[in-house]
Amino acid sequence: MEIIIFKDSASASLYAANEITNLISGRPDAVLGLATGGTPVPIYEELARKYQRQELDFSKVTTFNLDEYWGLSPIHPASYHYFMNQHLFSRVNLDPARIHIPNGLAMDASQECLQYERQIAEAGGIDLQILGIGGEGHVGFNEPSSSLSSRTRIKTLISRTREDNKRFFKEDEEVPFHVLTMGVGTIMDAKSILLLAFGKGKAEAIARTVEGPVSARIPASILQMHPKTKILLDEEAASCLELRDYYQYVYENKTKADRISQDK
Ligand code: GLP
């Protein structure tokens, strides 16, 4: 894992948007894994800006979202279909046929999840997966105790996640109890991963992800086993890391080494 600590969330988001841009510039038919929640919104803003400035072309890009609420229609304002349309899909030239999000209204959840896995495989796998993290260390909607080799399936949300996500729902609405989510194993198959976390509320989950034991108690901790994962943090999210100064030192010296090799 490479841990990069930025002065603020805006710089981290810009870094992530640039990584996506570099990928698509080198490989116009790249396959992106996308996340929802507040964390990735500035990345999508920047990608939309780059598209408007004609610096990016999404016409051949394929996308797979991590998850969707079970029982919510795609036009429900708290659904992840709606969220993605609002923040990215309606603002760039993605081909609707290449956009994938689990169908929260599928009659047969296990069939839907099997088909989702098949579609990812047929697309050649995910090149770059964007991730946020839940307060209890979930990725996608893989709550504590999720099998670390799980595939896309239906899951039950813990109370803390339902509480955290209440802000996306109207006051008189209930946050669904169930979701369809890529599994931890599905996420681990991505060729590269960027996990972003900002703010004090994520600091403990990040410390346990990066420095704790690999455990289903903190599903994100399995990323320690992924060969190409970057953890992009602001100062607050990094504040509980024991080896914080070491990560900073490694990054500074790495960029120095990169500059020297570029100069040659
Ligand atoms: C939801 C999503 C996750 C996301 C998490 C964190 O639970 N399923 O993919 O990482 O929220 O959300 P936020 O970025 O708003 O903190």
Side-chain angles (χ1 to χ4, degrees):
M1 271 195 287
E2 186 175 359
I3 293 99
I4 314 181
I5 303 159
F6 294 85
K7 66 175 195 310
D8 53 28
S9 59
S11 331
S13 305
L14 196 61
Y15 180 98
N18 286 337
E19 291 269 297
I20 296 171
T21 305
N22 292 341
L23 172 69
I24 298 175
S25 306
R27 183 154 178 224
D29 62 347
V31 180
L32 298 180
L34 301 176
T36 52
T39 306
V41 169
I43 304 179
Y44 300 147
E45 290 286 330
E46 181 60 17
L47 293 179
R49 261 195 298 272
K50 281 174 183 281
Y51 169 69
Q52 272 150 23
R53 292 198 299 254
Q54 299 185 334
E55 291 167 16
L56 258 181
D57 174 16
F58 289 88
S59 61
K60 296 196 178 71
V61 171
T62 298
T63 66
F64 287 93
N65 262 82
L66 285 165
D67 43 23
E68 180 56 286
Y69 291 102
W70 176 239
L72 285 201
S73 116
I75 56 168
H76 189 292
S79 75
Y80 287 162
H81 279 79
Y82 190 97
F83 178 100
M84 289 308 300
N85 268 326
Q86 184 188 10
H87 291 289
L88 185 67
F89 299 159
S90 63
R91 306 170 69 188
V92 299
N93 65 333
L94 271 160
D95 174 356
R98 293 176 185 266
I99 291 173
H100 306 82
I101 305 182
N103 176 7
L105 292 184
M107 298 295 283
D108 184 337
S110 42
Q111 260 316 107
E112 170 66 14
C113 294
L114 275 176
Q115 187 189 318
Y116 206 64
E117 285 285 331
R118 233 181 348 253
Q119 286 173 323
I120 296 174
E122 280 165 13
I126 291 168
D127 292 309
L128 174 60
Q129 175 69 54
I130 302 295
L131 292 178
I133 188 168
E136 292 287 330
H138 76 212
V139 279
F141 267 135
N142 293 282
E143 300 286 32
S145 88
S146 288
S147 157
L148 298 180
S149 58
S150 50
R151 311 306 301 188
T152 305
R153 70 216 182 292
I154 189 162
K155 284 290 291 179
T156 306
L157 296 180
I158 59 170
S159 309
R160 179 168 177 184
T161 304
R162 292 185 62 245
E163 197 55 43
D164 287 348
N165 289 358
K166 232 180 177 168
R167 66 190 199 276
F168 294 107
F169 289 78
K170 287 202 199 115
E171 223 172 284
D172 57 345
E173 273 179 335
E174 201 176 51
V175 180
F177 285 83
H178 296 106
V179 293
L180 303 182
T181 180
M182 277 188 204
V184 182
T186 319
I187 293 169
M188 285 294 283
D189 284 348
K191 288 162 197 125
S192 61
I193 296 178
L194 295 178
L195 183 147
L196 295 95
F198 307 132
K200 192 89 190 104
K202 299 290 172 73
E204 200 195 325
I206 284 298
R208 295 181 73 182
T209 295
V210 173
E211 296 176 337
V214 172
S215 158
R217 175 65 185 84
I218 301 287
S221 63
I222 191 68
L223 295 173
Q224 293 177 29
M225 310 287 285
H226 191 277
K228 226 178 150 202
T229 285
K230 291 184 183 181
I231 310 281
L232 312 181
L233 307 172
D234 65 1
E235 295 281 357
E236 284 186 343
S239 60
C240 293
L241 289 169
E242 233 175 83
L243 300 183
R244 190 205 168 288
D245 293 346
Y246 172 67
Y247 307 134
Q248 195 84 40
Y249 158 92
V250 169
Y251 183 63
E252 279 161 14
N253 284 287
K254 183 190 167 193
T255 46
K256 216 184 288 170
D258 284 350
R259 274 201 303 274
I260 294 166
S261 64
Q262 274 161 17
D263 288 348
K264 279 188 180 161

